[in-house]
Amino acid sequence: MKQIFIISFSLLFMAVQIQAQKSVQERLGYPSDAKLLIVHADDLGVIHTANQATFKAFKEGSVNSASIMVPTPWLPEVAEYAKANPDHDMGIHLTLTSEWNYLRWGPVASKSEVSSLLDDNGYFYPDCAQLWENAKIEEVEIELRAQIDKAIAMGIQPTHLDSHMGCLFSTDPKYYELYVNLAKEYGIPAMINHQIEGLGGKEGPKQPVLVNQIFGAGPADFDTDMAAYYANTLRNMEPGVHVMIIHCGFDNLESQGMSVEHPYWGARWRQQDYNFFTSEACAQILEEENIHLVTWKEIGALLKK
């Protein structure tokens, strides 16, 4: 009996080791050299136009994931959509800034609890630098918890966490530590690759790094040729699990009003993102390059095994 137990335990230990050695691709049922991609649309909730473009891209294009800005004005529309489409991949775009000139928002938590996050008018600061200069980390935690809790209370089941404008990816490790600890506590994977993980330092909290590269167009790509950037990135993609961050929208009056005097990530940018990722050209490249679309929901399930 003792010998049988030892053999059984050894086989179990070997099975765990083999499972741990498998790549994320293999654990998801793909070959080890597969190219897997999440096409991730940011900023749901910010305006009606962004919501509608993203919903349409879910239905008609290659977009298969999105993240929600809980403090923004069009959150109720997103919550209704999320409840009607529970299988969709929708995470929380943890938001601590309000970057547009005339479309501003403040905290979900009581302003008296998070006053260090706010400018003189009671809105979030417009950029991460001002946030980092003024914010108390304990008040950052209060606000982020309030955002996650509100989304869940409104019927949204978050599939992942990420950071609006990258404000949680500060060189101050406290921000990264908070980000990972919230993901662990709520049982929701955080968008992390090795570059982001490095911000936590050797002593920082750990989450398995399930993403290899995070891609996204920058101002130089917008100033030249966005479609060419996306096409070239897809055609040169290496094996692994990757995220392509985009921003869907329509170039209409609402979107133009949001982004007035803000040349990047505005109305024209969002229309171009929508155009490419709902195009036949995009679908054809994905097929030709044998790129498989996966979701955060699938990846998150690996953390529970």
Side-chain angles (χ1 to χ4, degrees):
M1 180 66 72
K2 182 178 179 181
Q3 186 177 16
I4 293 173
F5 174 79
I6 292 173
I7 293 171
S8 298
F9 182 81
S10 298
L11 290 173
L12 176 62
F13 181 73
M14 288 173 60
V16 170
Q17 282 189 314
I18 291 169
Q19 180 69 15
Q21 292 170 357
K22 284 185 176 181
S23 66
V24 176
Q25 297 100 302
E26 290 173 300
R27 293 170 67 191
L28 289 172
Y30 295 93
S32 60
D33 61 349
K35 292 180 281 189
L36 308 184
L37 178 65
I38 301 170
V39 180
H40 186 275
D42 275 0
D43 294 359
L44 275 180
V46 65
I47 52 175
H48 174 63
T49 294
N51 290 350
Q52 290 301 309
T54 303
F55 300 159
K56 193 171 182 181
F58 264 128
K59 183 178 180 180
E60 300 178 3
S62 300
V63 174
N64 67 338
S65 183
S67 58
I68 303 162
M69 300 175 73
V70 176
T72 55
W74 281 85
L75 174 68
E77 182 180 42
V78 181
E80 287 303 305
Y81 180 86
K83 287 186 287 187
N85 297 274
D87 294 333
H88 279 27
D89 205 61
M90 303 177 79
I92 304 299
H93 202 41
L94 295 168
T95 300
L96 297 167
T97 49
S98 177
E99 68 272 30
W100 307 108
N101 288 342
Y102 303 130
L103 174 63
R104 306 298 306 279
W105 50 81
V108 171
S110 168
K111 289 184 178 182
S112 63
E113 293 184 292
V114 295
S115 59
S116 70
L117 311 186
L118 310 179
D119 67 13
D120 292 340
N121 294 315
Y123 299 117
F124 285 145
Y125 294 106
D127 57 54
C128 300
Q130 292 180 68
L131 170 76
W132 296 332
E133 182 180 353
N134 293 283
K136 298 176 181 178
I137 194 65
E138 60 269 21
E139 294 186 6
V140 172
E141 180 174 355
I142 290 170
E143 174 59 22
L144 297 185
R145 287 183 181 278
Q147 292 182 21
I148 298 170
D149 291 343
K150 181 172 182 177
I152 293 171
M154 292 183 71
I156 298 165
Q157 298 300 317
T159 56
H160 62 285
L161 301 177
D162 59 56
S163 175
H164 181 54
M165 298 176 67
C167 289
L168 294 174
F169 308 145
S170 166
T171 53
D172 181 344
K174 293 195 292 291
Y175 284 85
Y176 173 82
E177 291 169 8
L178 175 59
Y179 180 56
V180 174
N181 286 334
L182 287 173
K184 288 182 177 180
E185 180 180 332
Y186 284 89
I188 307 169
M191 184 185 293
I192 293 171
N193 63 0
H194 285 294
Q195 286 74 27
I196 294 172
E197 181 192 39
L199 297 172
K202 293 182 179 180
E203 304 303 321
K206 301 298 179 185
Q207 174 189 286
V209 178
L210 302 175
V211 170
N212 297 100
Q213 290 182 283
I214 300 172
F215 299 105
D221 306 302
F222 179 74
D223 289 339
T224 52
D225 191 331
M226 292 275 276
Y229 164 78
Y230 290 126
N232 291 335
T233 301
L234 294 177
R235 291 197 183 281
N236 290 293
M237 189 169 289
E238 297 180 353
V241 182
H242 311 296
V243 178
M244 176 66 79
I245 296 178
I246 68 170
H247 302 79
C248 288
F250 299 130
D251 187 0
N252 59 16
L253 284 176
E254 183 191 29
S255 190
Q256 292 163 16
M258 176 187 75
S259 55
V260 64
E261 297 179 4
H262 201 298
Y264 300 118
W265 289 280
R268 287 180 53 235
W269 182 304
R270 290 164 190 262
Q271 182 73 64
Q272 290 184 48
D273 277 5
Y274 172 84
N275 290 348
F276 182 84
F277 284 96
T278 57
S279 70
E280 286 297 323
C282 175
Q284 185 174 344
I285 293 172
L286 293 173
E287 183 176 357
E288 290 173 353
E289 298 299 325
N290 200 27
I291 297 172
H292 304 276
L293 297 180
V294 295
T295 63
W296 273 109
K297 188 172 289 187
E298 294 173 82
I299 291 175
L302 298 180
L303 296 177
K304 300 175 183 178
K305 291 182 179 180

